[in-house]
Amino acid sequence: MGEHDVAAVAQLRLATFFEGTGRTLGEDAAGLRGLIAGDGFEAAFVARIGDTPVGTCLLVRHELEPVHDLTPWLAGLVVDARYRRRGIATALVKATEAHAASRGVEMLHLYTWDARDFYAALGWDTVEICGSDGEKMALMSRRPRL
């Protein structure tokens, strides 16, 4: 992901993950900029249709702390609803896995509330079901592949 993608990706992430949380577009954009300016281990991948960013997925060191002391994480997978069911999410997951494998990652983790079947079809294993008050999320893991 380059600087030219940050605003569009932040908007997509904000609408998908942070609506009603108080997180601002500027805060998410700053977080993305920090991630892409890092040491190259963490990464943000963007799927485009033409010049338009339509999806994203991240490789991050930490996610939902302090629930688990695991690292690293596939996080923030989202595809604009108008472009779903075209293989974009699968391609983003595979790109993230390949990047993780190229960095020597032996086990990659993720959380999902409602996409467990999607990830299972890609070879991810459910490790634990977490949460309370009806907000059940699955902790899933997979050995990344190039």
Side-chain angles (χ1 to χ4, degrees):
M1 173 168 48
E3 176 60 36
H4 58 282
D5 295 317
V6 169
V9 168
Q11 184 63 49
L12 182 59
R13 288 172 40 81
L14 203 63
T16 303
F17 302 119
F18 303 112
E19 191 170 301
T21 67
R23 185 175 178 110
T24 68
L25 184 63
E27 289 169 338
D28 200 63
L32 290 169
R33 285 185 182 101
L35 187 126
I36 62 177
D39 62 8
F41 179 84
E42 293 183 305
F45 297 92
V46 176
R48 293 181 190 79
I49 302 287
D51 292 333
T52 305
V54 298
T56 187
C57 190
L58 310 177
L59 175 68
V60 298
R61 284 186 175 93
H62 304 288
E63 178 75 349
L64 296 180
E65 293 179 70
V67 176
H68 289 94
D69 189 26
L70 301 171
T71 190
W73 297 85
L74 182 146
L77 173 64
V78 61
V79 174
D80 184 306
R82 297 170 291 178
Y83 299 96
R84 292 182 183 156
R85 304 240 179 250
R86 299 183 189 189
I88 295 168
T90 297
L92 285 164
V93 169
K94 288 182 178 182
T96 305
E97 288 178 358
H99 177 78
S102 76
R103 297 297 191 260
V105 171
E106 293 184 18
M107 188 63 71
L108 193 54
H109 312 281
L110 66 80
Y111 285 117
T112 183
W113 283 262
D114 55 7
R116 192 164 68 193
D117 292 342
F118 166 78
Y119 289 109
L122 295 177
W124 287 76
D125 296 314
T126 300
V127 175
E128 182 180 347
I129 302 297
C130 314
S132 60
D133 301 328
E135 296 251 346
K136 301 286 186 193
M137 67 180 167
L139 168 62
M140 301 181 81
S141 295
R142 174 179 168 87
R143 293 192 183 283
R145 296 190 175 114
L146 286 173

